[in-house]
Amino acid sequence: MAKLQIPDHAIRHIASREGVCTRPVLRRVTDRVTGGSVVRALDCGSTLESRCPACAAKARRLRTSQCTEGWHLTEEPEPSFAAADAEEATPEPDEADDVTDGLEDDQHDPDAKDGSGSRRVRSTRRLEGMPELPQQEIADRTVGTVFTAPDGKTYRPSMFVTLTLDSYGRIRPGQGVPARPERYDYRRAALDALHFPKLMDRWFQNLRRAAGYRVQYFGAIEAQMRLAPHFHVALRGAIPRATVKAVTQATYLALWWPQMEHPVYVERTPIWDDGHYRDPDTGWPLPTWERALAAVDEDPTAEPAHVVTFGRQVDVKGILAGTKDSDRAVRYLTKYLTKAVAETYADDDTPNPAYEAHIDRLHDQIVWLPCSPGCANWLRYGTQPKDPGPGLVPGHCTSKAHHREHLGLGGRRVLVSRGWSGKTLTQHRADRRAVVEQVLQAAGIEPETADRMAADTLTDDGRPRFVWEEVPVTHADWQTVVIDSLREHRRRRDQYEAAKQALTTGTDPPVDNSSAVNQQPATGAA
């Protein structure tokens, strides 16, 4: 009898519907103590629905839990997190505008230090024409203020804020495409998108100065239909609307970078030779990143290479814990986390040529503009990138921000403060797993420990006990791996449902009293 052939698309559909990863990775785990080995299938962990619907949905649910748990706290987070948050470097009002924000370890300005390791300070003055920032002394607290109503009832509101970027040209209503593409400022739109997360860092920094306490936040960057990023953020505690709007109007990001408006090398490319990028005709080395910045500092007439500001539209809402508005806001905030910027409003089934052309025009700018001091695109403008090496080619920067699907937002779609929930994302993930384990244990089923075969498990000699090796997943193995994962997923689900039923009815669970997860069966890839 011929073996039944199942189309790949059918397997993907079933797996996605069941919540099973469709892009599994295989690892062979060898136990150095026993000498045995087993092949395990792991989820790909993608956060994009277009790549793996199941993993993206899991990531979104995890972020939803994280947002919900930290929003309306009435007590300070764990001391370790509160202390870490208290150490954030909030610059004094007279310090430079291009110092590091210190909000997160990965949120520092990339050019805040020169090659000698000392901090670069361009200027202590704000740009002319920018409103002054409201300021007050920052109290050492993260929870919101309690208000008392005339009837004696107390409440502790929080906030939901939406921020947008400025206009780059008139947009056709409901279509998201420019009415006059030739007049639309695609270059400014591209630069604003590339540096939008850093603008948000400044906004949080300024908001804390103005609000008078260490404001905690959970925010998500997503795309408007016109493809400009905008920001939804949950803020713990209540801040006057006038203060939020004043901070938004006064916040800006000034990039004191070398010139990046007029390309120097278009038809030809600088060559790498003797540790430097050189002019292909003269052989002279291009100015280094440090020297180019020094030239900007030494020029009294120099202006920022680009300035990013918010648009006029600021939406501020008060939210109370335990209300439908709170639940609705969390769902809205995390709604588009599983979609890349270019995918948010595009229709794969019936593409709109005008909208696709709009994406292409914006992407054409993002491909060539520098995203960071180390971006290969600096060669196009006659400057060596920071910490250069061989093989850099303008238009081929490795940052995901330059990809068409991301349109400038290659990372940091979710911005979360250290003191938001008092837990890391890994700890939130462990909490969700612990709920399942508690149900199984209560029903007399021993769950698999989360650190089984962990890479950091050591033997007596101090070396890792388990050695993990990558196993390529060929097309011939793919169906077997996904089908095995489907079977295992259904077994776990049925076991969990049976355990819940047993606890509800008081009967014994109709399953064996064994581990909740058996070892992954070996596949053809083994």
Side-chain angles (χ1 to χ4, degrees):
M1 179 179 295
K3 183 179 179 180
L4 178 64
Q5 297 293 326
I6 305 176
D8 288 353
H9 68 84
I11 295 178
R12 286 193 177 89
H13 175 74
I14 296 172
S16 298
R17 186 183 62 189
E18 294 277 338
V20 172
C21 177
T22 57
R23 300 170 66 242
V25 294
L26 292 182
R27 296 291 185 269
R28 179 181 287 107
V29 188
T30 302
D31 188 338
R32 293 179 52 248
V33 174
T34 65
S37 64
V38 62
V39 174
R40 300 192 67 185
L42 307 178
D43 291 348
C44 69
S46 176
T47 58
L48 293 181
E49 184 179 0
S50 58
R51 295 181 181 175
C52 182
C55 287
K58 291 178 185 176
R60 181 176 179 272
R61 288 195 296 269
L62 182 63
R63 289 297 191 180
T64 299
S65 297
Q66 183 186 31
C67 180
T68 302
E69 187 167 336
W71 196 355
H72 305 288
L73 290 183
T74 58
E75 298 181 358
E76 295 293 342
E78 294 295 326
S80 60
F81 286 87
D85 189 67
E87 294 174 358
E88 293 177 352
T90 303
E92 295 298 326
D94 60 344
E95 289 187 7
D97 286 313
D98 62 350
V99 297
T100 59
D101 292 326
L103 293 173
E104 298 288 354
D105 291 339
D106 63 341
Q107 294 181 12
H108 296 165
D109 282 352
D111 60 335
K113 294 184 179 181
D114 61 21
S116 64
S118 61
R119 188 176 300 277
R120 294 183 60 255
V121 178
R122 166 72 189 178
S123 172
T124 61
R125 296 175 300 174
R126 291 180 58 80
L127 295 180
E128 293 184 5
M130 297 302 298
E132 292 298 320
L133 282 163
Q135 300 172 21
Q136 59 177 307
E137 185 177 353
I138 301 177
D140 187 18
R141 63 177 176 88
T142 68
V143 298
T145 303
V146 176
F147 297 91
T148 303
D151 60 0
K153 184 178 180 180
T154 62
Y155 58 100
R156 192 195 305 262
S158 290
M159 306 182 74
F160 185 79
V161 179
T162 300
L163 305 174
T164 64
L165 287 171
D166 204 354
S167 172
Y168 309 109
R170 191 164 64 87
I171 296 293
R172 295 177 183 173
Q175 300 182 41
V177 299
R180 299 286 297 275
E182 68 279 5
R183 294 187 178 182
Y184 195 79
D185 196 343
Y186 281 102
R187 183 179 184 276
R188 186 163 67 94
L191 285 170
D192 284 2
L194 285 167
H195 302 286
F196 186 71
K198 290 196 287 289
L199 178 67
M200 290 308 312
D201 291 343
R202 298 297 167 84
W203 187 79
F204 290 126
Q205 179 190 58
N206 294 337
L207 186 65
R208 286 176 174 172
R209 293 173 177 173
Y213 71 102
R214 293 186 290 113
V215 182
Q216 300 301 304
Y217 55 87
F218 180 104
I221 301 175
E222 64 181 52
Q224 294 179 293
M225 183 173 286
R226 60 177 175 142
L227 300 178
H230 70 153
F231 192 68
H232 300 300
V233 59
L235 301 175
R236 188 188 308 150
I239 304 171
R241 285 174 169 80
T243 300
V244 175
K245 293 181 178 180
V247 168
T248 304
Q249 293 175 359
T251 297
Y252 67 91
L253 173 70
L255 293 175
W256 292 99
W257 280 0
Q259 79 85 19
M260 53 182 180
E261 185 171 1
H262 305 292
V264 177
Y265 299 98
V266 178
E267 301 297 334
R268 53 206 178 108
T269 303
I271 58 175
W272 175 261
D273 181 55
D274 193 26
H276 295 278
Y277 279 95
R278 301 175 180 273
D279 184 282
D281 297 328
T282 66
W284 285 99
L286 274 60
T288 64
W289 176 256
E290 291 76 15
R291 184 66 193 95
L293 289 185
V296 174
D297 291 341
E298 295 165 1
D299 183 359
T301 64
E303 296 182 354
H306 185 67
V307 177
V308 191
T309 59
F310 291 105
R312 295 182 179 180
Q313 183 178 355
V314 182
D315 185 58
V316 182
K317 294 181 180 178
I319 301 288
L320 291 176
T323 63
K324 292 182 179 180
D325 286 341
S326 179
D327 295 337
R328 188 182 302 111
V330 172
R331 292 194 301 269
Y332 187 70
L333 196 154
T334 59
K335 180 179 180 180
Y336 292 114
L337 288 182
T338 61
K339 294 184 179 294
V341 174
E343 301 170 343
T344 306
Y345 299 101
D347 190 339
D348 293 335
D349 296 330
T350 57
N352 181 349
Y355 199 68
E356 294 297 319
H358 178 47
I359 295 176
D360 290 338
R361 286 189 291 266
L362 179 58
H363 179 238
D364 186 59
Q365 291 287 332
I366 289 173
V367 165
W368 298 105
L369 288 167
C371 65
S372 68
C375 182
N377 287 340
W378 281 114
L379 296 176
R380 178 178 173 87
Y381 298 94
T383 299
Q384 293 195 62
K386 187 177 181 180
D387 301 325
L392 299 181
V393 179
H396 295 275
C397 176
T398 57
S399 171
K400 294 189 298 183
H402 297 285
H403 295 181
R404 188 181 187 274
E405 63 180 350
H406 298 299
L407 293 178
L409 295 173
R412 297 187 60 200
R413 293 286 300 277
V414 177
L415 307 182
V416 188
S417 57
R418 289 192 182 109
W420 176 253
S421 63
K423 300 177 184 177
T424 64
L425 195 60
T426 299
Q427 289 172 319
H428 280 286
R429 188 180 292 108
D431 286 346
R432 293 176 63 85
R433 184 170 59 244
V435 173
V436 177
E437 292 177 352
Q438 290 171 3
V439 172
L440 295 175
Q441 289 174 341
I445 303 173
E446 185 63 28
E448 177 189 11
T449 58
D451 59 352
R452 184 172 68 91
M453 296 192 292
D456 57 357
T457 301
L458 305 179
T459 57
D460 294 338
D461 60 5
R463 298 169 59 191
R465 173 177 177 177
F466 301 102
V467 179
W468 289 68
E469 300 175 288
E470 183 177 356
V471 179
V473 181
T474 65
H475 182 267
D477 301 323
W478 179 82
Q479 283 199 1
T480 302
V481 173
V482 175
I483 291 175
D484 285 347
S485 297
L486 270 168
R487 293 195 185 102
E488 181 65 12
H489 173 77
R490 288 175 175 175
R491 189 189 71 79
R492 296 184 189 186
R493 181 190 60 194
D494 293 344
Q495 188 179 54
Y496 179 61
E497 292 299 327
K500 291 196 299 182
Q501 181 66 21
L503 293 176
T504 302
T505 61
T507 60
D508 293 331
V511 292
D512 294 333
N513 187 11
S514 58
S515 172
V517 181
N518 293 333
Q519 288 188 346
Q520 178 71 27
T523 69

